[in-house]
């Protein structure tokens, strides 16, 4: 129950709600919850504000972006930075349509001063080489492309070790990551399970704002090459810290192949997932 309370912070009921982004979105949270609501104009790059209407008013709730797994918006399923960009753009458009007198928050007098920004409270800084033990960790992961071609390169994984009070704590340790994926085979009745592993050594001085980010390139698994790969996998993260022991987290239903219906259709018709002239050096043009 305490964990759920960290994910969602209920706002207040307004008897005269302002205009919001017109179409509702579906937000899938890291804990498996699913929320259908409208994007509130207060959304920004730090927090996602969602509003649900009730009779004469509405209930607002705010979600930290690191708790958002994906968003269904305008018929698209977006994750990571793409989801954040689409949501904040919709919030800005909605804010422009609101009359000043209908804003539920104080307005500044006309001047040359930039408009007020609604930012999240500052996160507690990491404690370098703290005497506190690591009791838990927060983990998020998403597909990423960090070079110049159009092929997905691998996963970016963000890890935040936490002490017994839930505050970030930096420490020396070792992180072992195991990705389980499944691929259909025309010669087998069941999908074939494939595994890829990474090991990362970490130091306390590598943490920024209490977190550390790893890039995990796909080497054994190439889920972007073929629609035979199941789109979701499971990532086991094991953090070993001297004096604290081993902390584990498993991300299930982790998307490892982008949602690309047009590429799926191209592959079904031609056996290739990339268009002529498209730069996809890591994944050669070859039949699946």
């Amino acid at each position: 129950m305490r964990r759920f309370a960290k994910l969602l912070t209920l706002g207040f009921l307004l008897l005269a709600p302002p205009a919001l982004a017109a179409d509702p979105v579906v937000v899938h949270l890291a804990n498996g919850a699913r929320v259908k609501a409208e994007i509130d104009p207060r959304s920004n790059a730090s927090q996602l504000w969602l509003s649900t209407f009730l009779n004469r008013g509405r209930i607002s709730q705010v979600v930290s972006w690191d708790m958002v797994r994906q968003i269904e918006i305008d018929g698209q399923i977006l994750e990571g930075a793409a989801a954040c960009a689409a949501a904040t753009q919709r919030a800005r458009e909605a804010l422009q349509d609101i009359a000043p007198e209908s804003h539920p928050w104080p307005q500044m007098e006309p001047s040359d001063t930039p408009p007020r920004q609604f930012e999240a409270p500052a996160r507690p800084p990491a404690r370098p080489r703290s005497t506190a033990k690591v009791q838990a960790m927060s983990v998020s992961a998403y597909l990423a492309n960090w070079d110049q071609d159009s092929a997905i390169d691998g996963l970016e994984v963000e890890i935040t070790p936490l002490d017994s009070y839930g505050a970030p704590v930096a420490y020396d340790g070792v992180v072992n990551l195991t990705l389980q994926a499944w691929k259909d085979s025309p010669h087998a009745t069941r999908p074939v399970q494939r595994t890829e592993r990474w090991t990362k050594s970490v130091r306390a001085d590598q943490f920024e704002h209490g977190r550390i980010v790893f890039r995990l390139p796909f080497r054994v698994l190439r889920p972007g090459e073929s629609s035979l790969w199941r789109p979701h996998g499971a990532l086991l993260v094991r953090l070993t810290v001297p004096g604290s022991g081993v902390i584990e987290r498993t991300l299930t239903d982790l998307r490892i192949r982008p949602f690309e219906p047009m590429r799926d259709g191209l592959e079904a018709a031609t056996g290739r997932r990339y268009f002529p002239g498209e730069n996809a050096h890591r994944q050669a043009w070859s039949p699946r």
Side-chain angles (χ1 to χ4, degrees):
M1 187 69 181
R2 291 178 57 193
R3 183 181 178 186
F4 183 75
K6 293 180 182 178
L7 295 178
L8 299 180
T9 303
L10 290 180
F12 45 85
L13 188 65
L14 300 178
L15 295 181
L20 299 177
D23 298 325
V25 300
V26 178
V27 180
H28 298 265
L29 300 175
N31 69 339
R34 179 176 176 272
V35 180
K36 184 174 183 180
E38 295 182 355
I39 295 179
D40 191 288
R42 288 170 287 181
S43 297
N44 54 43
S46 301
Q47 295 176 321
L48 174 64
W49 282 79
L50 302 171
S51 292
T52 305
F53 285 92
L54 297 175
N55 297 328
R56 298 176 56 197
R58 67 183 175 92
I59 287 182
S60 294
Q61 55 190 9
V62 60
V63 185
S64 174
W65 276 108
D66 59 3
M67 298 301 178
V68 177
R69 183 159 58 87
Q70 62 184 26
I71 297 180
E72 299 178 28
I73 181 171
D74 295 332
Q76 292 183 305
I77 299 178
L78 303 176
E79 300 175 348
C84 179
T88 52
Q89 176 62 28
R90 175 173 286 194
R92 285 193 294 267
E93 294 172 354
L95 185 60
Q96 294 174 356
D97 296 335
I98 302 176
E101 60 273 12
S102 67
H103 282 218
W105 46 81
Q107 295 299 297
M108 300 171 58
E109 294 297 326
S111 68
D112 294 333
T113 305
R116 172 188 287 183
Q117 300 294 321
F118 295 88
E119 299 293 343
R123 201 171 189 178
R127 306 175 187 176
R129 302 190 183 276
S130 169
T131 57
K133 290 186 176 182
V134 179
Q135 297 290 343
M137 66 175 169
S138 171
V139 180
S140 61
Y142 46 87
L143 288 170
N145 184 345
W146 50 75
D147 59 18
Q148 296 180 345
D149 62 23
S150 58
I152 294 296
D153 294 310
L155 296 173
E156 286 195 357
V157 179
E158 178 182 313
I159 298 177
T160 305
L162 306 170
D163 63 16
S164 58
Y165 296 98
V169 52
Y171 244 101
D172 297 341
V174 177
V175 182
N176 292 284
L177 306 104
T178 303
L179 177 63
Q180 299 286 350
W182 290 264
K183 186 176 183 180
D184 291 321
S185 171
H187 308 293
T189 58
R190 296 181 179 180
V192 179
Q193 181 175 322
R194 303 289 176 84
T195 303
E196 184 150 8
R197 294 180 174 86
W198 303 265
T199 299
K200 301 287 185 179
S201 297
V202 296
R203 302 188 311 273
D205 56 9
Q206 292 178 304
F207 288 82
E208 295 184 4
H209 305 290
R211 68 188 181 95
I212 189 168
V213 178
F214 299 115
R215 285 181 174 178
L216 307 180
F218 288 140
R219 296 189 179 95
V220 178
L221 307 180
R222 296 294 181 86
E225 287 186 346
S226 171
S227 60
L228 292 177
W229 285 96
R230 296 292 177 91
H232 295 88
L235 181 68
L236 171 63
V237 182
R238 181 180 288 109
L239 171 64
T240 304
V241 178
S244 295
V246 179
I247 299 95
E248 291 188 359
R249 291 291 181 270
T250 301
L251 301 182
T252 60
D253 300 313
L254 173 65
R255 180 168 282 277
I256 61 172
R257 182 165 62 83
F259 178 70
E260 298 177 316
M262 184 171 291
R263 290 197 190 278
D264 293 342
L266 178 66
E267 181 182 358
T270 66
R272 302 173 179 178
R273 291 190 65 80
Y274 295 94
F275 298 95
E278 187 177 12
N279 183 8
H281 292 161
R282 286 202 62 234
Q283 297 171 341
W285 276 47
S286 60
R288 57 180 179 177

